[in-house]
Amino acid sequence: MVKIAGFQKNSFIDYPGKIASVVFLGGCNMRCYFCHNFEILTQKSNVKDFNEVIAELEEQLEFIDAVVVSGGEPTLHPHIREILQKIKDLGVLIKLDTNGSNPEMLREFVESNMVDYVAIDVKCAFDREKIVQGITALGNKILQSIDYLIGQDKVDYMFRTTLAPALDEDDLLAIAEMIKGAKTYQLQQFIPNENSEESCFGGLQPFTKQQVEEFAKLFEGKVEKVLIRGF
């Protein structure tokens, strides 16, 4: 029996321009102090019967355009291919949210038309292990995913960064170089939670809108479009 971590019936913000449901897959190969889904970072969080979710999605078909498959890191789920296929069989669009650490699987899903939109969370510079545990070892894989998405024309995509207050201008400059030539980049607001408050960065205040607008200028001439969300 295929198990997943969670399901959200309706979202107006997770798939640009579409009304979507969201399927959450547990398990992740990074640990971010600012993670907003920190309760589903292990495979043990996959406790919900996916067949029940498919039944709920079938009831939702007249109300949604798409399904977002998110996490955790969804490409780590042992049944990811089956999950995508069952959703695709419903006739809806699929958006994949990923940290970019599995470029081979990303290419497979794009080239086989299993996904219609991809969002990669580019979290920080790759030497910032204290902010994101695991990112240094996965940096090369993430760059492969970034380069692949920028170079292909089969699906739409965006790169995005949660502006956790431990980040600095050097992180953003590093990201700007990583995603040079991209279509869309999104800077999104950090929302403190139990996980972030218990970390060594607890107590840091989110950036202001004015600060974020200054960050956005770092990407001028690097990407086609910069979006700011949550401010």
Side-chain angles (χ1 to χ4, degrees):
M1 181 184 296
V2 176
K3 300 278 192 176
I4 67 168
F7 176 65
Q8 180 181 341
K9 282 189 175 182
N10 292 298
S11 170
F12 299 94
I13 62 173
D14 285 283
Y15 196 126
K18 307 293 182 184
I19 300 172
S21 294
V22 185
V23 169
F24 296 96
L25 307 185
C28 193
N29 50 3
M30 295 185 189
R31 293 295 182 269
C32 310
Y33 86 88
F34 49 88
C35 181
H36 62 279
N37 287 339
F38 61 92
E39 70 281 0
I40 64 168
L41 295 181
T42 70
Q43 295 290 342
K44 292 180 180 179
S45 62
N46 291 308
V47 297
K48 186 174 181 61
D49 186 347
F50 183 59
N51 286 330
E52 294 179 1
V53 172
I54 288 295
E56 291 185 69
L57 285 171
E58 289 174 338
E59 295 177 356
Q60 286 285 102
L61 287 179
E62 64 179 299
F63 307 109
I64 63 172
D65 309 300
V67 174
V68 177
V69 179
S70 189
E73 172 47 43
T75 64
L76 296 177
H77 196 286
H79 300 287
I80 179 64
R81 292 176 178 85
E82 181 180 348
I83 289 168
L84 291 177
Q85 187 60 60
K86 286 189 174 182
I87 297 172
K88 179 63 71 172
D89 289 344
L90 298 175
V92 295
L93 299 170
I94 297 178
K95 174 174 173 275
L96 178 68
D97 289 348
T98 176
N99 62 24
S101 62
N102 197 331
E104 297 84 6
M105 189 172 284
L106 174 61
R107 179 186 293 269
E108 173 191 334
F109 292 158
V110 171
E111 297 297 330
S112 63
N113 300 310
M114 290 303 298
V115 299
D116 305 282
Y117 196 111
V118 177
I120 291 184
D121 291 292
V122 187
K123 299 173 183 293
C124 58
F126 295 153
D127 62 353
R128 300 275 265 160
E129 188 75 16
K130 188 176 180 181
I131 296 177
V132 178
Q133 295 178 27
I135 196 166
T136 302
L138 295 169
N140 186 55
K141 293 286 189 181
I142 296 167
L143 284 177
Q144 289 178 45
S145 293
I146 291 171
D147 291 344
Y148 170 70
L149 276 188
I150 293 174
Q152 60 78 45
D153 59 5
K154 292 179 69 70
V155 301
D156 203 358
Y157 65 90
M158 77 160 55
F159 301 111
R160 59 192 187 185
T161 300
T162 297
L163 285 171
L167 299 184
D168 57 29
E169 184 173 307
D170 287 342
D171 287 292
L172 278 297
L173 287 170
I175 292 170
E177 287 301 314
M178 292 180 208
I179 66 171
K180 187 186 301 183
K183 291 181 180 179
T184 306
Y185 176 63
Q186 180 170 278
L187 292 161
Q188 50 198 34
Q189 178 63 295
F190 161 80
I191 301 174
N193 56 39
E194 177 185 339
N195 188 53
S196 61
E197 288 304 314
E198 290 179 354
S199 77
C200 57
F201 299 100
L204 291 177
Q205 296 302 306
F207 293 109
T208 66
K209 185 177 181 180
Q210 182 177 358
Q211 288 173 306
V212 176
E213 289 173 345
E214 290 299 312
F215 285 148
K217 294 178 182 178
L218 301 175
F219 293 83
E220 293 178 359
K222 303 285 188 180
V223 302
E224 294 181 19
K225 179 170 58 177
V226 179
L227 306 176
I228 295 175
R229 172 180 158 187
F231 294 87

